[in-house]
Amino acid sequence: MPLEKLSLDQISKVAEDVRTIERFQDEALNNGFNSNLFSASIVPGNSPKLFDWPLIAFLLSLFSLFGLVVLQQIFAMQGTAYNLMLLGSLLISTLCVMSAHLKFRQLTVSIIVAVGLIVVLAIGFGILTPKEAIDGAKEIVK
């Protein structure tokens, strides 16, 4: 068909087909390498981190908290030692919730971690029994 008799829509369709074929040939010759990466801007100070400090702080505080609970269960401390250990574990659990919030940046995760740690501390220090904790959770769900 001569070019004079082609409509404008047909010419644009042929042009798009030619562009598609050329793009495919360019990618085939370059093995799919995108040369636009050469013009990518790099923002200073946005380099990948070597360590994930909030995650490390979360895990360290979690392990130290469980260590305090285990110590309480083993030695069954009373009086001032019990109060100091409970106060220390509450401080560590606060640090654990803060580092979890810094890591995940979601209020829901922070609330779940906080409630979970409070329940574990209450059971570990003999404030609640596991049955009371389960009954309380059932009441909250209803």
Side-chain angles (χ1 to χ4, degrees):
M1 187 183 269
L3 287 177
E4 296 86 28
K5 296 193 180 188
L6 288 176
S7 70
L8 208 49
D9 291 333
Q10 291 173 334
I11 292 173
S12 65
K13 184 182 178 320
V14 169
E16 184 60 35
D17 290 343
V18 169
R19 282 189 215 105
T20 303
I21 291 170
E22 286 176 354
R23 192 176 319 126
F24 176 74
Q25 286 176 343
D26 288 343
E27 288 178 6
L29 291 175
N30 291 332
N31 294 324
F33 179 73
N34 187 356
S35 62
N36 293 334
L37 294 176
F38 288 130
S39 63
S41 61
I42 298 173
V43 179
N46 217 6
S47 61
K49 297 177 185 176
L50 188 57
F51 296 110
D52 191 3
W53 292 111
L55 182 62
I56 291 171
F58 174 73
L59 292 175
L60 285 176
S61 59
L62 193 64
F63 287 132
S64 61
L65 180 70
F66 287 132
L68 285 176
V69 171
V70 167
L71 284 175
Q72 170 60 28
Q73 290 296 318
I74 291 174
F75 295 112
M77 296 182 188
Q78 300 294 324
T80 307
Y82 173 82
N83 290 337
L84 286 175
M85 191 170 278
L86 181 61
L87 186 64
S89 62
L90 288 173
L91 177 67
I92 291 172
S93 65
T94 303
L95 294 174
C96 187
V97 171
M98 287 171 40
S99 60
H101 185 73
L102 287 174
K103 171 64 181 159
F104 301 109
R105 299 193 187 280
Q106 289 186 358
L107 183 62
T108 307
V109 173
S110 301
I111 291 172
I112 290 171
V113 169
V115 170
L117 288 177
I118 289 172
V119 169
V120 167
L121 285 177
I123 293 172
F125 281 90
I127 299 168
L128 289 176
T129 64
K131 182 171 179 8
E132 291 173 342
I134 291 171
D135 291 340
K138 284 180 183 177
E139 290 295 322
I140 291 173
V141 170
K142 287 181 182 178

